[in-house]
Amino acid sequence: MRSSAANAELALLLEVAGTPKPGNVDRRRDLADLRFEHFLAGAVGAREGLGLAADGAAVGPAFERAVEGMAAQEGGNTQFGALLLLVPLVRTAREDLSQPVAESVVRETTVGDAAAFYRAFDHVDVGVADPPEDMAALDVRRGSDAVPAVEDRGLTLFELMERSVPGDDVAREWVRGFERSFAAAERLVDADGPVTDRTAAVFLSLLAERPDTLVATRHDQATAEEVADRAAALVADDALETDPEAVEAFADDLVDRGVNPGTTADITAAGLFIALEREAIEL
Amino acid sequence: MRSSAANAELALLLEVAGTPKPGNVDRRRDLADLRFEHFLAGAVGAREGLGLAADGAAVGPAFERAVEGMAAQEGGNTQFGALLLLVPLVRTAREDLSQPVAESVVRETTVGDAAAFYRAFDHVDVGVADPPEDMAALDVRRGSDAVPAVEDRGLTLFELMERSVPGDDVAREWVRGFERSFAAAERLVDADGPVTDRTAAVFLSLLAERPDTLVATRHDQATAEEVADRAAALVADDALETDPEAVEAFADDLVDRGVNPGTTADITAAGLFIALEREAIEL
């Protein structure tokens, strides 16, 4: 039986291997400066921080360590959002990998966890939106420079995540008991075929469900909605089965336009971890 | 900086991601029952045993643990031979990752290491040739059942490897100071492009150099020689640059015929580890 840290790392690897995963790096596609091997190295590098979470370390420091290790490759940010989901889920699995326990794990985070979260931004550039004006001191892009302001205001990591919703569907998972992550796990179990095919199917279903918040941040809400609508049309046609070339064409088009639904990939990775940890998918 | 265990795991992942790697599973190809994701899971599962070697455990027990973890997926044997090279090399890296130190690490293995090596065969089916008649009691396929015979004869793991040459080019690495593994590392450093392209180039150069011993075992020597000759012709033409379709066609042909040059892949993975550990290739 694999350890929780090993399952989390494997979830990252299976996520990037799943294909077609429109707009993102996958087994068949690289972006210009962000290639498949950067994700392999990112997953391997994250293992130590994931192991800290499995051993019972606090969420913030374990996350910071995972991000530091993930960032030790030249592609830049590969799995920041996925780790923000995986670290609390690995911590949850120590007790019972359920939504109520996951919810209590994130609600119990502290100001110290928030400070570690900010320090994680020192290790890697992450695509985030500008904060509201009254929150400029708390701009995550300031990294550890913002820690005194975080401590002054006494914000816990959970409270920070609450303030990031709407506009960040990774933060939304924290606030809503990881509902889409657990739903993704169920769908992975119900799907057919090799796990990388299931990954592609679940990714597309998640993409169809809600506009990807990373796309909305990097491009605009209209682009995110257009992508979700096209995904929904493909899902309605069961296109992965009936017209796989249409999905491949959608994937190529998004890559060409630099539209990368990264939040959807993060939730897919979280779902893979839950399914692996429950031994609900065979591999 | 990545730990030695992390570099060894990453070497396994980069090896399988390298494409085209004629006859083997790669980023673009699966075999019927042995798919890309089995190699991902095998690499993740091996990490703990690789970590034991990095922490100074004896080669045999660390190898057994790595194989046990590697085998915790349904594809069967994915990386047995690669681990038989990586475990002593990770152990070597504790001191100095050089050929003389690697040679002394393997020469110092004991009867206990040999016993652990046999126990590793309990975890997975490995394609090996029939032993000579006077060695039937020592047939590795007997796994732990053969341990009393191993102990009776007082054979160290190094002595077992010596007896496996010729016919097993992984064992030959043990006996010859890992000369092809270190040469592969040099070639990876000298090659151009992303590391997965370098991996493909070095794999082809190794395949051209000596008939693959796994192919000779599973098929016959003539097949192994034919494959080496075709690889040599492609290398002579610089085909990866000048005629990549010829290499892809060769890859597809070998997969169709079930000809898998696994020993060459093992040595490629060992070369990747050495190059990563020396920080001689960027990623």
Side-chain angles (χ1 to χ4, degrees), chain B residues 120-183:
Chain B
F121 284 86
D122 291 349
H123 303 301
V124 65
D125 286 328
V126 181
V128 292
D130 293 325
E133 226 168 86
D134 65 322
M135 294 275 283
L138 295 178
D139 187 340
V140 287
R141 291 168 296 193
R142 297 182 64 219
S144 53
D145 291 342
V147 167
V150 173
E151 292 174 342
D152 269 1
R153 302 213 190 179
L155 288 171
T156 70
L157 184 49
F158 182 78
E159 288 165 342
L160 272 168
M161 290 295 138
E162 272 185 318
R163 292 178 186 218
S164 302
V165 182
D168 178 351
D169 272 1
V170 169
R172 186 171 178 273
E173 287 296 283
W174 273 57
V175 173
R176 296 215 179 191
F178 296 82
E179 65 181 24
R180 296 181 79 205
S181 301
F182 279 87

Side-chain angles (χ1 to χ4, degrees), chain A residues 116-132:
Chain A
F117 173 73
Y118 273 82
R119 282 193 294 269
F121 285 85
D122 291 347
H123 303 300
V124 64
D125 285 328
V126 181
V128 292
D130 292 325

Side-chain angles (χ1 to χ4, degrees), chain A residues 2 6 9-10 13-14 17 26-27 29-30 35-37 40-41 44 47 72-74 194-196 282-283, chain B residues 2 6 9-10 13-14 17 26-27 29-30 35-37 40-41 44 47 72-74 194 196 282-283:
Chain A
R2 273 182 299 270
E9 188 198 344
L10 184 56
L13 293 169
L14 293 171
D26 68 16
R27 185 169 169 186
R29 285 173 190 82
D30 292 316
R35 295 189 308 272
F36 191 69
E37 61 264 35
L40 301 181
V44 169
R47 173 76 164 259
Q73 37 77 28
E74 304 197 345
V195 64
T196 46
E282 296 195 341
L283 176 65
Chain B
R2 273 183 299 270
E9 188 198 344
L10 184 55
L13 293 169
L14 293 172
D26 69 15
R27 185 169 170 187
R29 286 173 189 82
D30 292 315
R35 295 190 308 273
F36 191 69
E37 62 262 37
L40 301 181
V44 169
R47 173 76 164 258
Q73 38 77 27
E74 304 197 345
T196 47
E282 295 196 342
L283 175 68

Side-chain angles (χ1 to χ4, degrees), chain A:
Chain A
M1 212 186 80
R2 273 182 299 270
S3 68
S4 296
N7 275 329
E9 188 198 344
L10 184 56
L12 293 173
L13 293 169
L14 293 171
E15 188 280 312
V16 74
T19 187
K21 240 173 41 264
N24 289 324
V25 172
D26 68 16
R27 185 169 169 186
R28 286 188 213 283
R29 285 173 190 82
D30 292 316
L31 307 182
D33 298 314
L34 186 58
R35 295 189 308 272
F36 191 69
E37 61 264 35
H38 296 132
F39 285 79
L40 301 181
V44 169
R47 173 76 164 259
E48 194 181 314
L50 293 164
L52 292 179
D55 290 343
V59 167
F63 174 72
E64 188 200 347
R65 184 71 199 85
V67 168
E68 186 182 7
M70 173 276 282
Q73 37 77 28
E74 304 197 345
N77 179 21
T78 48
Q79 291 125 333
F80 187 96
L83 290 171
L84 192 51
L85 299 174
L86 289 172
V87 168
L89 289 171
V90 167
R91 190 73 181 67
T92 299
R94 278 176 65 83
E95 191 177 333
D96 173 44
L97 187 51
S98 66
Q99 285 190 255
V101 175
E103 203 154 2
S104 74
V105 164
V106 295
R107 282 183 186 272
E108 285 164 15
T109 55
T110 64
V111 178
D113 290 315
F117 173 73
Y118 273 82
R119 282 193 294 269
F121 285 85
D122 291 347
H123 303 300
V124 64
D125 285 328
V126 181
V128 292
D130 292 325
E133 224 167 89
D134 64 324
M135 295 274 283
L138 296 177
D139 187 338
V140 288
R141 292 168 295 193
R142 296 183 63 221
S144 53
D145 290 342
V147 168
V150 174
E151 292 174 342
D152 269 1
R153 302 211 190 181
L155 287 171
T156 70
L157 184 49
F158 182 78
E159 288 164 343
L160 273 169
M161 290 295 139
E162 272 185 318
R163 290 176 188 217
S164 302
V165 183
D168 178 352
D169 272 2
V170 169
R172 186 172 178 273
E173 287 295 283
W174 273 57
V175 173
R176 295 215 178 190
F178 295 82
E179 65 181 25
R180 295 181 79 205
S181 301
F182 280 86
E186 295 295 333
R187 281 181 222 168
L188 284 161
V189 174
D190 293 341
D192 292 317
V195 64
T196 46
D197 291 353
R198 295 172 189 233
T199 299
V202 171
F203 175 89
L204 194 65
S205 78
L206 291 166
L207 189 59
E209 203 171 70
R210 285 176 61 82
D212 187 276
T213 50
L214 185 69
V215 173
T217 301
R218 291 225 184 130
H219 299 268
D220 50 43
Q221 183 66 20
T223 305
E225 283 172 13
E226 172 228 312
V227 168
D229 289 346
R230 286 176 67 186
L234 291 165
V235 169
D237 290 346
D238 194 16
L240 279 167
E241 289 298 319
T242 61
D243 189 6
E245 284 176 18
V247 189
E248 296 287 349
F250 179 43
D252 291 335
D253 176 50
L254 292 190
V255 168
D256 289 346
R257 289 163 57 198
V259 174
N260 317 120
T263 304
T264 306
D266 298 337
I267 295 170
T268 304
L272 280 161
F273 169 70
I274 294 165
L276 288 169
E277 184 71 16
R278 290 177 166 176
E279 301 187 54
I281 46 175
E282 296 195 341
L283 176 65

